[in-house]
Coordinates of all heavy atoms in Angstrom, one line a residue:
R495 N 19.3 -15.7 -19.7 CA 18.6 -14.6 -19.2 C 18.9 -14.4 -17.7 O 19.1 -15.3 -17.0 CB 17.1 -14.8 -19.3 CG 16.6 -14.7 -20.7 CD 15.1 -15.0 -20.8 NE 14.3 -14.2 -19.9 CZ 13.4 -13.2 -20.4 NH1 13.3 -13.0 -21.7 NH2 12.7 -12.6 -19.5
S496 N 19.0 -13.2 -17.3 CA 19.3 -12.9 -15.9 C 18.0 -12.6 -15.2 O 16.9 -12.4 -15.8 CB 20.2 -11.6 -15.8 OG 19.5 -10.5 -16.0
V497 N 18.1 -12.6 -13.8 CA 16.9 -12.3 -13.0 C 16.4 -10.9 -13.4 O 15.1 -10.7 -13.4 CB 17.3 -12.4 -11.5 CG1 16.1 -11.9 -10.7 CG2 17.6 -13.9 -11.2
M498 N 17.2 -10.0 -13.6 CA 16.8 -8.7 -13.9 C 16.0 -8.6 -15.2 O 15.1 -7.7 -15.3 CB 18.1 -7.7 -14.1 CG 18.9 -7.6 -12.8 SD 17.9 -7.0 -11.4 CE 17.7 -5.3 -11.9
D499 N 16.2 -9.5 -16.1 CA 15.3 -9.5 -17.4 C 13.9 -9.8 -17.1 O 13.0 -9.5 -17.8 CB 15.9 -10.6 -18.3 CG 17.2 -10.2 -18.9 OD1 17.6 -9.0 -18.9 OD2 18.0 -11.2 -19.3
N500 N 13.6 -10.5 -15.9 CA 12.2 -10.9 -15.6 C 11.5 -9.8 -14.8 O 10.3 -10.0 -14.5 CB 12.2 -12.2 -14.8 CG 12.6 -13.3 -15.7 OD1 12.3 -13.4 -16.9 ND2 13.3 -14.3 -15.1
I501 N 12.2 -8.8 -14.3 CA 11.6 -7.8 -13.4 C 10.3 -7.1 -14.1 O 9.3 -7.0 -13.4 CB 12.6 -6.8 -12.9 CG1 13.5 -7.5 -11.9 CG2 11.9 -5.6 -12.3 CD1 14.5 -6.7 -11.3
P502 N 10.4 -6.7 -15.3 CA 9.2 -6.0 -15.9 C 8.0 -7.0 -15.9 O 6.9 -6.6 -15.6 CB 9.6 -5.6 -17.3 CG 11.1 -5.4 -17.2 CD 11.5 -6.5 -16.2
S503 N 8.2 -8.3 -16.2 CA 7.2 -9.3 -16.2 C 6.6 -9.5 -14.8 O 5.4 -9.6 -14.6 CB 7.7 -10.6 -16.8 OG 6.7 -11.5 -16.8
C504 N 7.5 -9.6 -13.9 CA 7.1 -9.8 -12.5 C 6.3 -8.6 -12.0 O 5.3 -8.8 -11.3 CB 8.3 -10.0 -11.6 SG 9.1 -11.6 -11.9
T505 N 6.7 -7.4 -12.3 CA 6.0 -6.2 -11.9 C 4.6 -6.2 -12.5 O 3.7 -5.9 -11.8 CB 6.8 -5.0 -12.3 OG1 8.1 -5.0 -11.8 CG2 6.1 -3.7 -11.9
N506 N 4.5 -6.6 -13.7 CA 3.2 -6.6 -14.3 C 2.3 -7.7 -13.7 O 1.1 -7.4 -13.5 CB 3.3 -6.9 -15.8 CG 3.9 -5.8 -16.6 OD1 3.8 -4.6 -16.2 ND2 4.4 -6.0 -17.8
H507 N 2.8 -8.8 -13.4 CA 2.1 -9.9 -12.7 C 1.6 -9.4 -11.3 O 0.5 -9.7 -10.9 CB 2.9 -11.2 -12.6 CG 3.1 -11.9 -13.9 ND1 2.0 -12.2 -14.7 CD2 4.2 -12.3 -14.5 CE1 2.5 -12.8 -15.8 NE2 3.8 -12.8 -15.7
L508 N 2.5 -8.8 -10.6 CA 2.2 -8.3 -9.2 C 1.1 -7.2 -9.3 O 0.2 -7.3 -8.5 CB 3.5 -7.7 -8.5 CG 3.2 -7.2 -7.1 CD1 2.7 -8.2 -6.2 CD2 4.5 -6.6 -6.6
A509 N 1.2 -6.3 -10.2 CA 0.2 -5.3 -10.4 C -1.1 -5.9 -10.7 O -2.2 -5.5 -10.1 CB 0.6 -4.3 -11.5
A510 N -1.2 -6.9 -11.6 CA -2.4 -7.5 -11.9 C -3.0 -8.3 -10.7 O -4.2 -8.3 -10.4 CB -2.2 -8.5 -13.1
F511 N -2.1 -9.0 -10.0 CA -2.5 -9.7 -8.8 C -3.2 -8.7 -7.8 O -4.3 -9.0 -7.3 CB -1.3 -10.4 -8.1 CG -1.6 -11.0 -6.8 CD1 -2.4 -12.2 -6.7 CD2 -1.2 -10.3 -5.6 CE1 -2.6 -12.7 -5.4 CE2 -1.5 -10.9 -4.4 CZ -2.2 -12.1 -4.3
L512 N -2.5 -7.6 -7.5 CA -3.1 -6.7 -6.6 C -4.4 -6.1 -7.1 O -5.4 -5.9 -6.3 CB -2.1 -5.5 -6.3 CG -0.8 -5.9 -5.5 CD1 0.2 -4.8 -5.5 CD2 -1.2 -6.3 -4.1
E513 N -4.4 -5.7 -8.3 CA -5.6 -5.0 -8.9 C -6.9 -6.0 -8.8 O -8.0 -5.5 -8.5 CB -5.4 -4.6 -10.3 CG -6.5 -3.8 -10.9 CD -6.9 -2.5 -10.1 OE1 -6.0 -1.9 -9.5 OE2 -8.1 -2.2 -10.2
Y514 N -6.7 -7.2 -9.1 CA -7.8 -8.1 -9.2 C -8.0 -9.0 -8.0 O -8.9 -9.9 -8.0 CB -7.7 -8.9 -10.5 CG -7.8 -8.1 -11.7 CD1 -6.7 -7.8 -12.4 CD2 -9.0 -7.5 -12.0 CE1 -6.7 -6.9 -13.5 CE2 -9.1 -6.6 -13.1 CZ -7.9 -6.3 -13.9 OH -8.0 -5.5 -14.9
A515 N -7.3 -8.8 -6.9 CA -7.4 -9.5 -5.7 C -8.9 -9.3 -5.1 O -9.4 -8.2 -5.2 CB -6.4 -9.1 -4.6
P516 N -9.4 -10.3 -4.6 CA -10.8 -10.2 -4.0 C -10.9 -9.5 -2.7 O -12.0 -9.4 -2.1 CB -11.3 -11.6 -3.9 CG -10.0 -12.4 -3.7 CD -9.0 -11.7 -4.5
V517 N -9.8 -9.0 -2.2 CA -9.7 -8.3 -0.9 C -9.0 -7.0 -1.1 O -8.3 -6.7 -2.1 CB -9.0 -9.1 0.2 CG1 -9.7 -10.4 0.4 CG2 -7.5 -9.4 -0.3
A518 N -9.2 -6.1 -0.1 CA -8.5 -4.8 -0.2 C -7.0 -5.0 0.1 O -6.7 -5.6 1.1 CB -9.2 -3.8 0.9
M519 N -6.2 -4.4 -0.7 CA -4.8 -4.5 -0.6 C -4.1 -3.2 -1.0 O -4.5 -2.5 -1.9 CB -4.2 -5.6 -1.5 CG -4.7 -7.0 -1.1 SD -4.1 -8.2 -2.3 CE -2.4 -8.4 -1.6
S520 N -3.1 -2.9 -0.2 CA -2.3 -1.7 -0.6 C -0.8 -1.9 -0.2 O -0.5 -2.8 0.6 CB -2.8 -0.4 0.2 OG -2.8 -0.6 1.6
L521 N 0.1 -1.2 -0.7 CA 1.5 -1.3 -0.5 C 2.0 0.1 -0.1 O 1.8 1.1 -0.8 CB 2.2 -1.8 -1.7 CG 3.7 -1.8 -1.7 CD1 4.2 -2.9 -0.7 CD2 4.3 -2.1 -3.0
V522 N 2.6 0.2 1.1 CA 3.2 1.4 1.6 C 4.7 1.2 1.7 O 5.2 0.1 1.9 CB 2.6 1.9 2.9 CG1 1.1 2.2 2.7 CG2 2.8 0.9 4.0
S523 N 5.5 2.3 1.6 CA 6.9 2.2 1.7 C 7.5 3.3 2.5 O 6.9 4.4 2.6 CB 7.5 2.1 0.4 OG 7.4 3.3 -0.3
G524 N 8.7 3.1 3.1 CA 9.4 4.1 3.7 C 9.0 4.4 5.1 O 8.0 3.9 5.6
D525 N 9.7 5.3 5.8 CA 9.4 5.7 7.2 C 8.1 6.5 7.3 O 7.5 6.5 8.4 CB 10.5 6.6 7.7 CG 11.8 5.9 7.8 OD1 11.8 4.7 7.9 OD2 12.9 6.6 7.9
T526 N 7.7 7.1 6.2 CA 6.4 7.9 6.3 C 5.2 7.1 5.6 O 4.2 7.7 5.4 CB 6.6 9.3 5.6 OG1 7.0 9.1 4.2 CG2 7.6 10.1 6.3
F527 N 5.5 5.9 5.3 CA 4.4 5.0 4.7 C 3.8 5.6 3.5 O 2.5 5.8 3.5 CB 3.4 4.6 5.8 CG 4.0 4.0 7.0 CD1 4.2 4.8 8.2 CD2 4.4 2.7 7.0 CE1 4.8 4.2 9.3 CE2 5.0 2.1 8.1 CZ 5.2 2.9 9.3
I528 N 4.6 5.9 2.5 CA 4.1 6.4 1.2 C 3.2 5.3 0.6 O 3.6 4.2 0.4 CB 5.2 6.8 0.3 CG1 6.1 7.8 0.9 CG2 4.7 7.2 -1.1 CD1 5.5 9.2 1.1
V529 N 2.0 5.7 0.2 CA 1.1 4.7 -0.5 C 1.6 4.6 -1.9 O 1.5 5.5 -2.7 CB -0.4 5.2 -0.4 CG1 -1.3 4.2 -1.1 CG2 -0.8 5.4 1.0
E530 N 2.1 3.4 -2.2 CA 2.6 3.1 -3.6 C 1.6 2.5 -4.5 O 1.5 2.9 -5.6 CB 3.8 2.1 -3.5 CG 5.0 2.6 -2.6 CD 5.8 3.7 -3.3 OE1 5.6 4.0 -4.5 OE2 6.5 4.4 -2.5
V531 N 0.7 1.7 -3.9 CA -0.3 1.0 -4.7 C -1.5 0.8 -3.7 O -1.3 0.5 -2.6 CB 0.2 -0.4 -5.1 CG1 -0.9 -1.2 -5.8 CG2 1.4 -0.3 -6.0
A532 N -2.7 0.9 -4.3 CA -3.9 0.5 -3.6 C -4.9 0.0 -4.7 O -5.1 0.7 -5.7 CB -4.5 1.7 -2.9
N533 N -5.4 -1.2 -4.4 CA -6.3 -1.7 -5.4 C -7.7 -1.1 -5.3 O -8.0 -0.4 -4.4 CB -6.3 -3.3 -5.4 CG -6.9 -3.9 -4.2 OD1 -7.4 -3.2 -3.3 ND2 -6.9 -5.2 -4.1
R534 N -8.6 -1.5 -6.2 CA -9.9 -0.9 -6.2 C -10.7 -1.2 -4.9 O -11.4 -0.3 -4.4 CB -10.8 -1.5 -7.4 CG -10.4 -0.8 -8.7 CD -11.3 -1.4 -9.8 NE -10.6 -2.7 -10.2 CZ -11.1 -3.6 -11.0 NH1 -12.3 -3.5 -11.4 NH2 -10.4 -4.7 -11.3
K535 N -10.6 -2.4 -4.4 CA -11.3 -2.7 -3.1 C -10.8 -1.8 -2.0 O -11.5 -1.4 -1.2 CB -11.1 -4.2 -2.8 CG -11.6 -5.1 -3.8 CD -13.0 -5.6 -3.3 CE -13.5 -6.7 -4.2 NZ -14.9 -6.9 -4.1
Q536 N -9.4 -1.6 -2.0 CA -8.9 -0.7 -0.9 C -9.4 0.7 -1.1 O -9.8 1.4 -0.1 CB -7.4 -0.7 -1.0 CG -6.7 0.0 0.1 CD -6.9 -0.6 1.5 OE1 -6.3 -1.7 1.7 NE2 -7.7 0.0 2.4
L537 N -9.4 1.2 -2.3 CA -9.9 2.6 -2.6 C -11.3 2.7 -2.2 O -11.7 3.8 -1.6 CB -9.6 3.0 -4.0 CG -8.2 3.0 -4.4 CD1 -8.1 3.2 -6.0 CD2 -7.4 4.2 -3.7
E538 N -12.1 1.7 -2.5 CA -13.5 1.7 -2.1 C -13.7 1.8 -0.5 O -14.5 2.5 0.0 CB -14.3 0.5 -2.6 CG -14.5 0.5 -4.1 CD -15.0 -0.8 -4.6 OE1 -15.4 -1.7 -3.8 OE2 -15.0 -1.0 -5.8
L539 N -12.9 1.0 0.1 CA -12.9 1.0 1.6 C -12.5 2.3 2.2 O -13.1 2.8 3.2 CB -12.0 -0.1 2.1 CG -11.9 -0.4 3.6 CD1 -13.2 -1.0 4.1 CD2 -10.8 -1.4 3.9
W540 N -11.5 3.0 1.5 CA -11.0 4.3 2.0 C -11.9 5.4 1.5 O -11.8 6.5 2.0 CB -9.6 4.5 1.5 CG -8.5 3.8 2.2 CD1 -8.6 3.2 3.5 CD2 -7.2 3.5 1.8 NE1 -7.4 2.6 3.8 CE2 -6.5 2.8 2.8 CE3 -6.5 3.8 0.6 CZ2 -5.2 2.4 2.7 CZ3 -5.2 3.4 0.5 CH2 -4.6 2.7 1.5
H541 N -12.8 5.1 0.6 CA -13.7 6.2 0.0 C -12.9 7.3 -0.6 O -13.3 8.5 -0.4 CB -14.7 6.7 1.1 CG -15.6 5.7 1.7 ND1 -16.6 5.0 1.1 CD2 -15.5 5.1 3.0 CE1 -17.2 4.2 1.9 NE2 -16.5 4.2 3.0
R542 N -11.9 7.0 -1.3 CA -11.0 8.0 -1.9 C -10.6 7.5 -3.3 O -10.3 6.3 -3.5 CB -9.8 8.3 -1.1 CG -10.1 8.9 0.3 CD -9.4 10.2 0.4 NE -9.6 11.0 1.6 CZ -9.7 10.6 2.8 NH1 -9.7 9.4 3.2 NH2 -9.8 11.5 3.8
P543 N -10.4 8.4 -4.3 CA -9.9 8.0 -5.6 C -8.3 7.8 -5.4 O -7.7 8.5 -4.6 CB -10.2 9.1 -6.5 CG -10.4 10.3 -5.6 CD -10.9 9.8 -4.3
A544 N -7.7 7.1 -6.3 CA -6.3 6.9 -6.3 C -5.5 8.2 -6.4 O -4.5 8.3 -5.7 CB -5.9 6.0 -7.5
E545 N -6.0 9.2 -7.1 CA -5.3 10.4 -7.3 C -5.1 11.2 -5.9 O -4.3 12.0 -5.8 CB -6.1 11.4 -8.2 CG -6.2 10.8 -9.6 CD -7.3 9.8 -9.8 OE1 -8.3 9.8 -9.0 OE2 -7.2 9.0 -10.7
E546 N -6.0 10.9 -4.9 CA -5.9 11.5 -3.6 C -5.0 10.8 -2.7 O -4.8 11.3 -1.5 CB -7.3 11.7 -3.0 CG -8.2 12.7 -3.7 CD -9.5 12.8 -3.0 OE1 -9.7 12.3 -1.9 OE2 -10.4 13.4 -3.6
I547 N -4.5 9.6 -3.1 CA -3.8 8.8 -2.1 C -2.4 8.3 -2.6 O -1.4 8.4 -1.9 CB -4.6 7.5 -1.8 CG1 -5.9 7.9 -1.1 CG2 -3.8 6.5 -1.0 CD1 -6.8 6.8 -0.7
I548 N -2.3 7.9 -3.9 CA -1.1 7.3 -4.4 C 0.0 8.4 -4.4 O -0.1 9.5 -4.8 CB -1.2 6.8 -5.8 CG1 -2.4 5.7 -5.8 CG2 0.1 6.2 -6.4 CD1 -2.2 4.5 -5.0
G549 N 1.2 8.0 -3.8 CA 2.3 8.9 -3.7 C 2.4 9.8 -2.5 O 3.3 10.5 -2.3
L550 N 1.4 9.6 -1.6 CA 1.3 10.5 -0.4 C 1.5 9.6 0.8 O 1.2 8.4 0.8 CB 0.0 11.2 -0.3 CG -0.3 12.1 -1.5 CD1 -1.8 12.6 -1.4 CD2 0.6 13.3 -1.5
P551 N 2.0 10.2 1.9 CA 2.2 9.5 3.2 C 0.8 9.1 3.7 O -0.2 9.9 3.7 CB 2.8 10.5 4.1 CG 3.5 11.5 3.2 CD 2.6 11.6 2.0
L552 N 0.6 7.9 4.1 CA -0.6 7.3 4.6 C -1.2 8.2 5.7 O -2.4 8.5 5.7 CB -0.4 5.9 5.1 CG -1.7 5.2 5.6 CD1 -2.6 4.9 4.5 CD2 -1.3 3.9 6.3
F553 N -0.4 8.7 6.6 CA -0.9 9.4 7.8 C -1.1 10.9 7.5 O -1.7 11.6 8.3 CB 0.0 9.2 9.0 CG 0.0 7.8 9.4 CD1 1.0 6.9 9.1 CD2 -1.1 7.2 10.1 CE1 1.0 5.6 9.5 CE2 -1.2 5.9 10.4 CZ -0.1 5.1 10.2
S554 N -0.8 11.4 6.3 CA -1.2 12.7 5.9 C -2.5 12.6 5.2 O -3.3 13.5 5.2 CB -0.2 13.4 5.0 OG -0.1 12.8 3.7
V555 N -2.8 11.5 4.5 CA -4.1 11.2 3.9 C -5.2 11.0 5.0 O -6.3 11.4 4.9 CB -4.0 10.1 2.9 CG1 -5.4 9.8 2.3 CG2 -3.1 10.4 1.8
F556 N -4.7 10.2 6.0 CA -5.6 9.8 7.1 C -5.0 10.3 8.4 O -4.6 9.5 9.2 CB -5.9 8.3 7.1 CG -6.5 7.8 5.9 CD1 -5.7 7.1 5.0 CD2 -7.8 7.9 5.7 CE1 -6.3 6.6 3.8 CE2 -8.4 7.4 4.5 CZ -7.6 6.8 3.6
P557 N -5.0 11.6 8.7 CA -4.4 12.1 9.9 C -5.0 11.6 11.2 O -4.3 11.5 12.2 CB -4.5 13.7 9.8 CG -5.6 13.9 8.8 CD -5.6 12.7 7.9
E558 N -6.3 11.2 11.1 CA -6.9 10.7 12.3 C -6.3 9.4 12.8 O -6.5 9.0 13.9 CB -8.4 10.5 12.0 CG -8.8 9.5 11.0 CD -8.7 10.0 9.5 OE1 -8.2 11.1 9.3 OE2 -9.3 9.3 8.7
L559 N -5.6 8.7 11.9 CA -4.9 7.5 12.3 C -3.6 7.7 13.0 O -3.1 6.8 13.6 CB -4.7 6.6 11.1 CG -5.9 6.1 10.4 CD1 -5.6 5.3 9.1 CD2 -6.8 5.2 11.3
A560 N -3.0 8.9 12.8 CA -1.6 9.1 13.3 C -1.5 9.0 14.9 O -0.5 8.6 15.4 CB -1.2 10.5 12.9
S561 N -2.6 9.2 15.6 CA -2.6 9.2 17.0 C -3.1 7.8 17.6 O -3.3 7.7 18.7 CB -3.4 10.3 17.6 OG -4.8 10.2 17.2
T562 N -3.3 6.9 16.7 CA -3.7 5.6 17.1 C -2.6 4.6 17.2 O -1.5 4.9 16.8 CB -4.8 5.0 16.1 OG1 -4.2 4.7 14.9 CG2 -5.9 6.0 15.9
D563 N -2.9 3.4 17.7 CA -1.9 2.3 17.7 C -1.5 1.8 16.3 O -0.5 1.1 16.2 CB -2.4 1.1 18.6 CG -2.4 1.5 20.0 OD1 -1.6 2.4 20.5 OD2 -3.1 0.8 20.8
F564 N -2.3 2.1 15.3 CA -2.1 1.6 14.0 C -0.7 2.1 13.5 O 0.0 1.3 12.9 CB -3.2 2.1 13.0 CG -3.1 1.5 11.7 CD1 -3.1 0.2 11.4 CD2 -3.0 2.4 10.6 CE1 -3.0 -0.4 10.1 CE2 -2.9 1.9 9.3 CZ -2.9 0.5 9.1
K565 N -0.4 3.3 13.7 CA 0.9 3.8 13.2 C 2.1 3.1 14.0 O 3.1 2.7 13.3 CB 1.1 5.3 13.5 CG 2.3 5.9 12.9 CD 2.3 7.4 13.0 CE 3.5 8.0 12.3 NZ 3.5 9.4 12.3
K566 N 1.9 2.8 15.2 CA 2.9 2.1 16.0 C 3.1 0.7 15.5 O 4.2 0.2 15.3 CB 2.5 2.1 17.5 CG 3.5 1.3 18.4 CD 3.0 1.3 19.8 CE 3.9 0.4 20.6 NZ 3.4 0.2 22.0
I567 N 2.0 0.0 15.2 CA 2.0 -1.4 14.7 C 2.7 -1.4 13.3 O 3.5 -2.3 13.1 CB 0.6 -1.9 14.6 CG1 0.0 -2.1 16.0 CG2 0.5 -3.2 13.8 CD1 -1.5 -2.4 16.1
L568 N 2.3 -0.5 12.4 CA 3.0 -0.5 11.1 C 4.5 -0.2 11.3 O 5.3 -0.8 10.6 CB 2.4 0.6 10.3 CG 1.1 0.3 9.5 CD1 0.7 1.5 8.6 CD2 1.3 -0.9 8.6
S569 N 4.9 0.7 12.2 CA 6.3 0.9 12.4 C 7.0 -0.3 12.9 O 8.1 -0.6 12.4 CB 6.5 2.1 13.4 OG 6.0 3.3 12.9
E570 N 6.4 -1.0 13.8 CA 7.0 -2.3 14.3 C 7.1 -3.3 13.2 O 8.2 -4.0 13.1 CB 6.2 -2.8 15.5 CG 6.3 -2.0 16.7 CD 5.3 -2.4 17.9 OE1 4.6 -3.4 17.7 OE2 5.3 -1.7 18.9
V571 N 6.1 -3.5 12.4 CA 6.2 -4.4 11.3 C 7.3 -4.1 10.3 O 8.1 -4.9 9.9 CB 4.8 -4.5 10.6 CG1 4.9 -5.3 9.3 CG2 3.8 -5.2 11.5
R572 N 7.4 -2.8 10.0 CA 8.4 -2.3 9.1 C 9.8 -2.5 9.7 O 10.7 -3.0 9.0 CB 8.3 -0.8 8.8 CG 9.3 -0.3 7.7 CD 9.4 1.2 7.7 NE 10.0 1.6 8.9 CZ 9.5 2.6 9.7 NH1 8.4 3.1 9.5 NH2 10.2 2.9 10.8
N573 N 10.0 -2.3 10.9 CA 11.3 -2.4 11.6 C 11.7 -3.9 11.7 O 12.9 -4.2 11.6 CB 11.3 -1.8 13.0 CG 11.2 -0.3 12.9 OD1 11.6 0.3 11.9 ND2 10.7 0.3 13.9
R574 N 10.7 -4.8 11.8 CA 11.0 -6.2 11.9 C 11.0 -6.9 10.5 O 11.3 -8.0 10.3 CB 10.0 -6.9 12.8 CG 10.3 -6.7 14.2 CD 9.4 -7.5 15.1 NE 8.2 -6.7 15.3 CZ 7.0 -7.2 15.6 NH1 6.8 -8.5 15.6 NH2 6.0 -6.4 15.9
A575 N 10.6 -6.1 9.5 CA 10.5 -6.6 8.1 C 9.6 -7.8 8.0 O 9.9 -8.8 7.4 CB 11.9 -6.9 7.5
E576 N 8.4 -7.8 8.7 CA 7.5 -8.9 8.6 C 6.3 -8.6 7.7 O 6.0 -7.5 7.4 CB 6.9 -9.1 10.0 CG 8.0 -9.6 11.0 CD 7.4 -9.9 12.4 OE1 6.2 -9.6 12.6 OE2 8.2 -10.3 13.2

């Protein structure tokens, strides 16, 4: 078996881990921080259903954050891959 054969299984495990984590967790990607995944705890914290967030840029969903240091911090983390 190759590593690629395990990807569907790993993806399922990661999705389950995120969904049932006892803390708010989300995954964003790209230069515009597209929200790829947000677990139930995160959605509760954001007071939004998944349909209003998943697949959209984080700062278009929460434009009030765009002018804060949060966007700068996320950019720095992404650029350093930390």
Side-chain angles (χ1 to χ4, degrees):
R495 286 177 60 109
S496 74
V497 172
M498 296 304 287
D499 293 335
N500 291 326
I501 287 179
S503 175
C504 290
T505 301
N506 290 338
H507 290 305
L508 177 60
F511 171 76
L512 290 173
E513 184 61 29
Y514 297 105
V517 296
M519 297 178 75
S520 57
L521 174 67
V522 297
S523 67
D525 294 341
T526 58
F527 304 104
I528 301 293
V529 180
E530 301 290 344
V531 175
N533 68 2
R534 279 181 278 167
K535 296 262 186 199
Q536 184 70 70
L537 295 170
E538 289 171 10
L539 185 67
W540 284 340
H541 302 288
R542 297 238 176 40
E545 298 79 26
E546 290 182 12
I547 295 178
I548 303 301
L550 298 173
L552 182 65
F553 296 103
S554 70
V555 175
F556 300 103
E558 65 275 15
L559 295 177
S561 61
T562 68
D563 286 339
F564 185 60
K565 186 172 185 177
K566 179 183 174 189
I567 292 167
L568 277 182
S569 295
E570 290 173 1
V571 170
R572 186 197 68 235
N573 291 337
R574 285 187 266 155
E576 294 179 1

